[in-house]
Amino acid sequence: MNTPHPAKVAGFDSTVPSPAHTVASVAPGTSPATVPNATETADATDVSATPRAPDDLLQDRLAGWVSDLTTLHELTERLVRTDSLSAGLQEVLRAGAALVGARRGLVALEPADGLGPDTTVGLGLARADLGHIETVPRSSLPHGRILDGLPVGEGGIAEPDLFGEKGLDPRHREVAARLGYAASYALPLSAERTGRLGAAVWLYDEPAQPGERQRHLAGLYTRYAGQHLARLLEVERTRARMATMAEELLPSRLPRVPGVQLAARHRTGPLGGGDWYDALPLPDAALGLAVGSVTGSGPSAVAAMGRLRASLRAYSVMEGEDPVAVLSDLELLLRLTEPARSATALFGYCEPALRRITLAGAGHSPPLLIGERRTEFVETSVSAPLGMLACWEAPSVELQAEPGETVLLYTDGLLHRTGDPADRAFARLHAAAAGVPRGKRHDPGAVADHVLRTVLPDGKADADSEEDVVLLAVRFE
């Protein structure tokens, strides 16, 4: 009778060794009645074996295959739901530990192309524990040998009894004793397109090693995991490049101008966005303040943001005392050079000695004035965004601040990230500003941080989002 071939599940070849919990094959001339039961222990030789029919053996084996493939399917489903490199590495560690029967482990990420990021993530190991392991000579660690490009068999590198090995490095022996592990099992992490990504190693508290079937399943899982980690790595690199590009196009530091204190906070999404801020010293001890947002995301939006911000700087130097003229020039430039793109902007001509800001806005949210006796939005003229009209011009407004008050300029991403309707988002922002503790009001950075954490709680401010967030806080002394 031919044994059926189970279907492939989750991209894995279902031709795997016999399940560990099935009975052994019947030797020629041996009656099935003499084959030990699957649940029988090695030392229970005095217990009579239960006879098993050949069909029962086949069904048990098929059930084992289906169980293993189902497990692999569930583990890979959990892996593909991870959307960040750190989460993917942690999931690989947890799944691998379950497959090989270990409790602790680590992944050393070190892509072969040398472009990084290089990092080490632990499971059941504190940062100090990882530091101790890093003091061991790399060549004496199984995952170190993998990272060095030494050949590794299909079954990985098993060290079933570290303290029983005569050639074990003394430092490795010392660290293993301190951390309480006596055996290890390591596998490479790689992908077809990128090559080596790193190595994973799982640690056993007692002398042990995975069986043949455990190694086979762990190898199948890590081969699949390598492809997913390669995709997450590329996303991580893209995110880092876009963040670096956006940060380089924004001010590297804010100017120091007598009479005001400045602080800025910027959060960008993984694709990069077009939100910006600026603070530029102007003649007569004045200061040009700007926030804005370009439509779209990705490299094109970041580049457009850089061009628009540079143009606004030039116009503010030439005619900054007239914010309406500055935005009118910016509107004309955008309409002529990038007719398919629109932008919002808010520009203010600040006179610190007079504690006065003359503001003009183009489709932008109003500033928020935060003081001891008042917290209110500044009324600005209603206007369409830049690039939406044949000719833009709206009247400016003047804001008169009191000593110790802070003016908060922000982009719409702060409101959009809340997920609330506009009226509720504005109410949340107002409540957050009104609730700034008295002891933090003297520091514009503390004010911005409090507003950011309150409006976007539970890590929403730092989570991946298509919406950029910019806050520029200006405190009058």
Side-chain angles (χ1 to χ4, degrees), residues 258-387:
V260 294
Q261 295 175 290
L262 303 172
R265 298 293 182 265
H266 179 225
R267 301 290 187 272
T268 187
L271 298 179
D275 287 17
W276 88 89
Y277 66 91
D278 207 349
L280 178 66
L282 298 175
D284 302 324
L287 185 66
L289 304 170
V291 292
S293 177
V294 174
T295 56
S297 62
S300 63
V302 173
M305 175 268 285
R307 292 191 294 269
L308 207 62
R309 174 178 167 266
S311 301
L312 187 143
R313 282 195 140 209
Y315 297 145
S316 63
V317 170
M318 293 186 293
E319 47 194 3
E321 69 280 357
D322 185 358
V324 171
V326 171
L327 293 187
S328 297
D329 292 342
L330 201 62
E331 153 73 22
L332 179 60
L333 176 73
L334 186 66
R335 184 155 44 86
L336 293 177
T337 60
E338 301 188 58
R341 195 180 295 277
S342 64
T344 67
L346 185 70
F347 178 75
Y349 180 76
C350 177
E351 299 169 276
L354 301 176
R355 294 191 299 278
R356 183 171 64 197
I357 303 179
T358 305
L359 290 162
H364 205 83
S365 299
L368 186 58
L369 183 61
I370 307 171
E372 295 291 340
R373 293 183 295 274
R374 58 175 177 170
T375 300
E376 59 189 29
F377 289 104
V378 179
E379 293 293 338
T380 57
S381 56
V382 179
S383 170
L386 301 174

Side-chain angles (χ1 to χ4, degrees), residues 413-422 424-425 428 456 460:
L414 178 64
L415 306 174
H416 294 162
R417 279 204 189 195
T418 64
D420 293 335
R424 293 183 60 185
R428 177 180 290 190
L456 301 174
K460 288 184 180 179

